[in-house]
Amino acid sequence: QKEVEQNSGPLSVPEGAIASLNCTYSDRGSQSFFWYRQYSGKSPELIMSIYSNGDKEDGRFTAQLNKASQYVSLLIRDSQPSDSATYLCALYSGAGSYQLTFGKGTKLSVIP
Amino acid sequence: GAVVSQHPSWVICKSGTSVKIECRSLDFQATTMFWYRQFPKQSLMLMATSNEGSKATYEQGVEKDKFLINHASLTLSTLTVTSAHPEDSSFYICSAGAGPLTYNEQFFGPGTRLTVL
């Protein structure tokens, strides 16, 4: 069974700090990895996609993927109160259904 | 880019009625769209995969006769909840793939909150 593990939090960081969100997964065959941000009562918003080992940067966000360790992370630099949300790690195995396997999410609170 | 819209954003209906939800990709063509349902404090659950011009593929446990999906064009998919009951009350969210299906990168619409009285 495919599993995606995230620390549920809440993770509290002061404004301006770096927030580090982590995710581990069980399916070694997974080929696509995503970070979504979901505000309460809203739908998920795609923040980052990463497909190969290493780092991928987009503005204040950096995704890191290590397939050997089955680990994917999201760093948010210069955290803002507007970054306060639940961050969902999701992956796609590349086989069978197009179901994305989601983690339960990490709730991030950025304290002004 | 990669904007997905849904209509309506919320709907309240009486038990036994049918409700249609529209999902549109606004700035790209989506050969494949996806329909999810999310109950409070739970993860998104894929209900079905909708392919333009062909029948939808439903996930195990999802009643295809109750949740009718039509994907008539590359920018529009609809979900009809037939004979809705209170247990169908949920947050319904569609998504569309903007890139190669191999990567399955999905962009979500804003969701439709359905309340069945």
Side-chain angles (χ1 to χ4, degrees), chain B residues 12-13 36 38-39 41 46 53 67 71-72 75-76 81-82 85 94 102 105-107 114 116:
Chain B
I12 300 173
C13 69
Y36 291 81
Q38 186 176 35
F39 292 105
K41 298 190 188 301
L46 181 66
F67 299 99
H71 194 156
T75 59
L76 174 64
V81 183
T82 62
H85 289 96
C94 72
T102 308
E105 184 178 74
Q106 297 181 24
F107 294 88
L114 171 64
V116 184

Side-chain angles (χ1 to χ4, degrees), chain B residues 16-30:
Chain B
T17 60
S18 294
V19 174
K20 180 185 281 190
I21 302 169
E22 291 187 349
C23 176
R24 293 181 185 272
S25 55
L26 297 185
D27 52 358
F28 65 101
Q29 293 184 327

Side-chain angles (χ1 to χ4, degrees), chain A residues 31-32 36 38 43 49 98, chain B residues 38 46 102-106 109:
Chain A
Q31 62 179 49
S32 302
Y36 287 90
Q38 186 172 26
S43 68
S49 307
Y98 287 104
Chain B
Q38 186 176 35
L46 181 66
T102 308
Y103 296 118
N104 199 16
E105 184 178 74
Q106 297 181 24

Side-chain angles (χ1 to χ4, degrees), chain A residues 31-32 34 36 38 41-46 48-49 51 56 88 92 94 97-100 102-104, chain B residues 32 34 36 38 43-47 49 59 91 93 101-111 113:
Chain A
Q31 62 179 49
S32 302
F34 309 99
Y36 287 90
Q38 186 172 26
K42 304 294 185 182
S43 68
E45 174 190 6
L46 183 63
M48 292 287 283
S49 307
Y51 309 113
K56 179 181 178 183
L88 303 171
Y92 171 56
S97 160
Y98 287 104
Q99 167 86 50
L100 292 177
F102 286 90
K104 293 187 183 300
Chain B
T32 305
F34 307 88
Y36 291 81
Q38 186 176 35
S43 276
L44 290 102
M45 290 305 300
L46 181 66
M47 299 174 66
T49 302
E59 294 299 306
F91 192 36
I93 313 171
L101 207 53
T102 308
Y103 296 118
N104 199 16
E105 184 178 74
Q106 297 181 24
F107 294 88
F108 286 87
R113 196 162 300 280

Side-chain angles (χ1 to χ4, degrees), chain B residues 61-78:
Chain B
V62 177
E63 301 173 59
K64 60 180 67 175
D65 294 330
K66 180 169 185 62
F67 299 99
L68 302 179
I69 292 171
N70 185 288
H71 194 156
S73 76
L74 288 173
T75 59
L76 174 64
S77 176
T78 61

Side-chain angles (χ1 to χ4, degrees), chain A residues 28-101:
Chain A
R28 283 194 171 274
S30 300
Q31 62 179 49
S32 302
F33 304 85
F34 309 99
W35 282 100
Y36 287 90
R37 177 174 64 196
Q38 186 172 26
Y39 293 110
S40 181
K42 304 294 185 182
S43 68
E45 174 190 6
L46 183 63
I47 299 296
M48 292 287 283
S49 307
I50 187 166
Y51 309 113
S52 55
N53 282 327
D55 294 0
K56 179 181 178 183
E57 185 175 321
D58 184 0
R60 295 187 296 112
F61 299 97
T62 298
Q64 299 173 316
L65 174 61
N66 184 325
K67 289 187 178 181
S69 300
Q70 295 173 242
Y71 175 92
V72 58
S73 66
L74 179 70
L75 299 177
I76 306 174
R77 289 181 299 282
D78 189 24
S79 296
Q80 301 297 309
S82 58
D83 295 326
S84 298
T86 296
Y87 288 79
L88 303 171
C89 174
L91 60 84
Y92 171 56
S93 69
S97 160
Y98 287 104
Q99 167 86 50
L100 292 177
T101 303

